[in-house]
Amino acid sequence: MVGRRGDAGDRLCVAVDLEGYGRRSDAGQERAQEALAGLLDAAWRAAGTSPLRQPNGDGEVALLGPAAEPGAVVAMLVAFRAGLEAVNRATPRERLRLRAAAHRGPGRPARNGFAGSGVVRTCRFLGSRALRSDLARRPGTDLAVAVSDPLFDELRGVVRVRDFRRVLVLEPAKAFSGYAWLHTGGPLPAPLTGVVGSADAAPEQPGPEVPGMRIEIADGGQAGTVVQARELHGGLTIAPPDRRGGV
């Protein structure tokens, strides 16, 4: 059972997805599902929370209770990463590599799963080319993590800012854009305590404006100007201004 319908409000949402699931044999898919379900069960127990969970074969979407603290997301991901590494050491021929995304926003149980813009936004980050590329370019990493901009603001002082990098995620085909913080690799940081106000917890300073950059969106859309974007992901071509006066 997913949960009680009509339970509305902002919630922490966590989604995970197994990379390359369709390339496995039928029996391999069953084994992967079994391993993933065990990892998720253990990670949520370690985090000390019992979210509403919507399994979908090669992944899961979970909604935490309205009173859940953002540190529960960090605790879950730390435990999940540790369990994933242990499973992959034991069965290296069936290595599991996953993406995970987290956000706080509207979400509630519905007739056939979860509904709410917060759930949709979490899943957009999870399936984004930004996060997929981040996992692909780090072959030694088994878990790539994206945390939405507003949730990361809640986590300042809980995790180290320097362990993440902020990117602008663009998915023109889905009419989606938003900032996310990608974990930069290595062990996920254990929650910090007593560091609010330290250099690690200081807000990220915006980068300089970049005037006159030409944008071409491969999947369709309008041209525009990039302002304060440190990194872009999506079907984009970015070039200097057209010297002939065009944009």
Side-chain angles (χ1 to χ4, degrees):
M1 177 180 291
V2 171
R4 181 168 58 85
R5 293 172 64 187
D7 184 8
D10 282 358
R11 289 174 176 261
L12 290 168
C13 183
V14 178
V16 300
D17 188 69
L18 181 62
E19 195 76 7
Y21 178 76
R23 295 192 293 271
R24 297 173 183 266
S25 67
D26 292 354
Q29 290 178 7
E30 291 183 16
R31 290 192 295 271
Q33 286 196 28
E34 185 71 24
L36 178 57
L39 286 169
L40 288 167
D41 289 348
W44 287 120
R45 285 196 302 270
T49 187
S50 299
L52 304 177
R53 296 168 62 182
Q54 178 185 312
N56 55 13
D58 62 342
E60 176 180 284
V61 181
L63 288 177
L64 282 70
E69 294 293 328
V73 173
V74 179
M76 180 272 178
L77 291 173
V78 169
F80 184 71
R81 174 69 173 270
L84 179 61
E85 290 176 347
V87 165
N88 284 341
R89 282 194 301 269
T91 56
R93 293 174 63 89
E94 296 194 343
R95 181 183 177 197
L96 302 179
R97 305 186 74 220
L98 292 108
R99 289 169 284 109
H103 173 61
R104 186 193 293 278
R108 60 186 182 275
R111 176 66 178 83
N112 199 38
F114 295 142
S117 59
V119 177
V120 172
R121 195 165 187 83
T122 305
C123 293
R124 290 288 182 262
F125 283 126
L126 180 71
S128 68
R129 281 167 286 186
L131 191 56
R132 291 181 186 274
S133 298
D134 190 60
L135 184 62
R137 68 170 170 254
R138 295 191 287 121
T141 296
D142 293 330
L143 180 64
V145 176
V147 178
S148 72
D149 217 20
L151 178 55
F152 194 83
D153 282 344
E154 294 185 54
L155 289 173
R156 291 179 183 275
V158 178
V159 298
R160 293 181 294 267
V161 173
R162 65 174 179 266
D163 290 329
F164 295 79
R165 59 190 176 90
R166 189 172 186 247
V167 302
L168 176 59
V169 177
L170 296 174
E171 296 290 329
K174 297 183 180 297
F176 174 81
S177 66
Y179 282 100
W181 291 79
L182 305 187
H183 186 248
T184 54
L188 279 163
L192 302 176
T193 58
V195 297
V196 176
S198 71
D200 280 334
E204 175 95 350
Q205 295 299 315
E209 293 191 1
V210 184
M213 297 283 284
R214 188 177 83 251
I215 303 176
E216 299 172 3
I217 303 178
D219 295 330
Q222 297 181 341
T225 300
V226 183
V227 178
Q228 294 182 347
R230 294 179 52 195
E231 185 168 344
L232 297 172
H233 290 270
L236 301 175
T237 300
I238 305 176
D242 191 328
R243 298 300 182 185
R244 295 169 296 180
V247 177

